[in-house]
Amino acid sequence: MNNQEALRTFTTGENFHLQHYLGAHREEKNGEIGYTFRVWAPNAQAVHLVGDFTDWVENQIPMVRNEAGVWEVFTSQAQEGQIYKYHITRANGHQIMKIDPLAVYFEARPGTGAVLTNIREKKWKDGLWLARRKRLGFFERPVNIYEAHAGSWKRNPDGSPYTFSQLKDELIPYLVEMNYTHIEFMPLMAHPLGLSWGYQLMGYFAFEHSYGRPEEFQDFVEECHINNIGVIVDWVPGHFTINDDALAYYDGTPTFEYQDHNKAHNYGWGALNFDLGKNEVQSFLISSIKFWIDFYHLDGIRVDAVSNMLYLDYDNAPWTPNKDGGNLNYEGYYFLKRLNDVIKQAHPDVMMIAEESSSATQITDTKDSDGLGFDYKWNMGWMNDILRFYEEDPIYRKYDFNLVTFSFMYVFNENYLLPFSHDEVVHGKKSMMHKMWGDRYNQFAGLRNLYTYQICHPGKKLLFMGSEYGQFLEWKSEEQLEWSNLEDPMNAKMKHFTSQLNQFYKDHRCLWEIDTSYDGIEIIDADNRDQSVLSFIRKGKKDEMLVCVFNMAPIERKDFTIGLPVAGIYEEVWNTELEEWGGVWKEHNQTVQTQESLWKDYEQTLTFTLPAMGASIWKIKRRLKPAKKKE
């Protein structure tokens, strides 16, 4: 695409490789090697290039504006590794230093200058992974995600976060040991304040400096793929940091943000909302996500705060109704549909995941609907209900048993992902372990029960780092995880449990093969409120089935009976109360044969001992023909 066509498609919202036009590009002109700089500031009075090579404002270089409001200059003074900014005379005459929105790398905090960076083309070695991903997709594959904050998984002795070179050496072997299928990182794009966790961005094409260099993350992704682990990254297209030297009111007028003051401002987050109806902003944002997918070989993108883009009244502040008097943000709605359409045309095998908490708009494209085009939606309702239930004293659980069973009423309305994310273990919400009822023994028992329920429930899975071994303290983003917890035998056994549970999930197709329809599940009993016991069957495509029984009370139930549709000899293949995982059972239940007996609508029954606060999962060892009925 030549420069004129790049400019034209930028203004029509059709340039999805904007980084090849805007930003800084090493070129040769008239026999001189240098850099061409381009920046969009349509209402600026003047723009000057400043940096190490101009002694900053001392010898600033004037830029020339074209008909679309893009300012351009070529200089042979600039060299790789030098820092630069744009000195903008805004529409009102006020002068300010601004970042390059298309920079691929920034200097270390607290500086915000862009670094002239020539990233060499990588010779990737993950072709086998990409071919398999293209052939198999992800809907009928296991997806069990370890969510991580790159800055606080582990830290160096001086308190600095690990770079991705260090994470490649330590985190990837850990993921392999723990049997996760994917890792999801909270935003890795450049952000001016670590306390934002990356959700207040300034550089939508730039890799966060504190995590190392872009090449290090490329190598990390490649090594993940070689080890059969997918990589997902959070992305924030709805809002951006209000910092004055970043995108905010870039040329002194609403440039990236909405013209309407109410639509532009998110007061709850102290952020500005992108004008998702503006062509240039659409080119900018879609180019950003495509760049991250293409350049880093990402397997998925989790789009943050979708509700904020969809609903005009999402923020607790004054809002302007749409042209029909409603609260749907039409610009956001159509942008999201277009975003997913563009990505799916280029990368149908890349997961698009929405973090969205309402039910007013169809988010995923299911068999019976025309949604926004996302592949998965976080099931926030399930997460809130189930955590509330497991935090409750078991004495009262029978009165709130609908918190466990209600999800089966809507479980396939969307394609869901079940998240226990970072948001649930901060701001006084307690860690996953600390949420559990009872003494320390029962807290571990409850956590094992809960994680098994998550694995068996239809939908893909996500668990935030530290939760896998039962860290007791809340997550602190400025410190590393409490790895010293693993010196406690109970935490070590919890870690081992999660690793084996993850492997159990991968080994059983019926837990992930049919995740989006009732063909994959049969409820045995959702009405046993008094004993707080839930039972259901997960089904695969080739007659594979697992019988999943959850005792959500601290009472062992001997001679517990359920009905089953298939006669046979059953063996217990999972019991959360085994000693090796921190429980008290030395071995599994014995193999059991079904009995001919009427139980609800079933003609076969299975009787066994159900562990206290435990989950018991059974598999057919040998099918039997039921006895012929008497005439």
Side-chain angles (χ1 to χ4, degrees), residues 351-554:
M351 269 187 277
M352 293 294 291
I353 304 167
E355 188 253 336
E356 206 277 333
S357 55
S358 76
S359 58
T361 302
Q362 187 74 28
I363 302 300
T364 61
D365 281 335
T366 61
K367 293 176 183 177
D368 303 319
S369 68
D370 176 26
L372 290 179
F374 285 98
D375 297 304
Y376 294 107
K377 172 184 175 177
W378 275 22
N379 195 337
M380 311 291 274
W382 173 87
M383 177 273 298
N384 282 312
D385 285 350
I386 206 67
L387 288 181
R388 181 180 155 198
F389 182 84
Y390 273 82
E391 288 181 71
E392 194 171 52
D393 188 314
I395 288 177
Y396 305 109
R397 287 182 181 178
K398 64 182 179 180
Y399 304 112
D400 291 319
F401 203 59
N402 62 301
L403 293 172
V404 176
T405 60
F406 178 63
S407 63
F408 295 117
M409 303 295 291
Y410 65 87
V411 62
F412 303 117
N413 290 354
E414 302 265 15
N415 297 333
Y416 282 117
L417 188 152
L418 310 178
F420 292 136
S421 75
H422 65 276
D423 277 329
E424 310 320 314
V425 294
V426 290
H427 303 322
K429 295 179 184 177
K430 303 179 182 179
S431 68
M432 291 294 291
M433 172 60 71
H434 198 182
K435 292 178 194 292
M436 297 298 103
W437 165 86
D439 59 16
R440 188 160 170 77
Y441 177 85
N442 276 297
Q443 286 181 320
F444 276 105
L447 203 61
R448 294 192 300 269
N449 189 312
L450 174 61
Y451 289 172
T452 303
Y453 181 61
Q454 180 195 29
I455 285 293
C456 293
H457 192 288
K460 306 310 183 186
K461 330 294 176 186
L462 178 143
L463 186 66
F464 185 60
M465 64 182 196
S467 304
E468 73 275 15
Y469 61 80
Q471 175 172 308
F472 189 79
L473 296 179
E474 281 190 341
W475 169 57
K476 303 184 184 77
S477 63
E478 297 301 298
E479 301 176 16
Q480 70 173 13
L481 295 180
E482 302 283 336
W483 293 106
S484 59
N485 283 182
L486 290 173
E487 297 170 9
D488 185 311
M490 288 297 287
N491 289 105
K493 288 180 178 181
M494 186 72 214
K495 174 174 170 281
H496 174 55
F497 169 85
T498 306
S499 169
Q500 296 306 297
L501 178 64
N502 293 344
Q503 185 62 49
F504 182 83
Y505 169 69
K506 289 197 290 187
D507 288 343
H508 292 87
R509 300 178 67 90
C510 59
L511 293 177
W512 42 261
E513 195 172 44
I514 309 176
D515 252 342
T516 56
S517 84
Y518 284 105
D519 293 339
I521 189 169
E522 178 178 333
I523 305 298
I524 298 173
D525 188 9
D527 300 318
N528 192 345
R529 293 170 169 270
D530 288 342
Q531 292 182 308
S532 297
V533 176
L534 172 69
S535 53
F536 56 82
I537 299 170
R538 287 303 308 272
K539 299 178 178 180
K541 288 187 173 182
K542 296 182 179 179
D543 287 334
E544 184 193 5
M545 56 181 273
L546 288 176
V547 180
C548 309
V549 189
F550 298 88
N551 182 8
M552 293 146 176

Side-chain angles (χ1 to χ4, degrees), residues 273-330:
N273 295 323
F274 278 108
D275 183 346
L276 299 174
K278 188 179 288 186
N279 289 340
E280 293 87 350
V281 171
Q282 291 192 14
S283 288
F284 175 81
L285 288 173
I286 297 176
S287 293
S288 163
I289 190 173
K290 279 189 92 316
F291 169 75
W292 277 83
I293 292 171
D294 293 337
F295 189 75
Y296 294 109
H297 285 203
L298 297 182
D299 303 284
I301 297 289
R302 194 212 72 159
V303 180
D304 182 67
V306 169
S307 294
N308 182 54
M309 290 182 272
L310 282 179
Y311 303 111
L312 297 166
D313 58 349
Y314 179 77
D315 191 24
N316 187 21
W319 61 283
T320 306
N322 61 31
K323 61 184 177 64
D324 298 316
N327 70 338
L328 183 65
N329 182 351
Y330 291 136

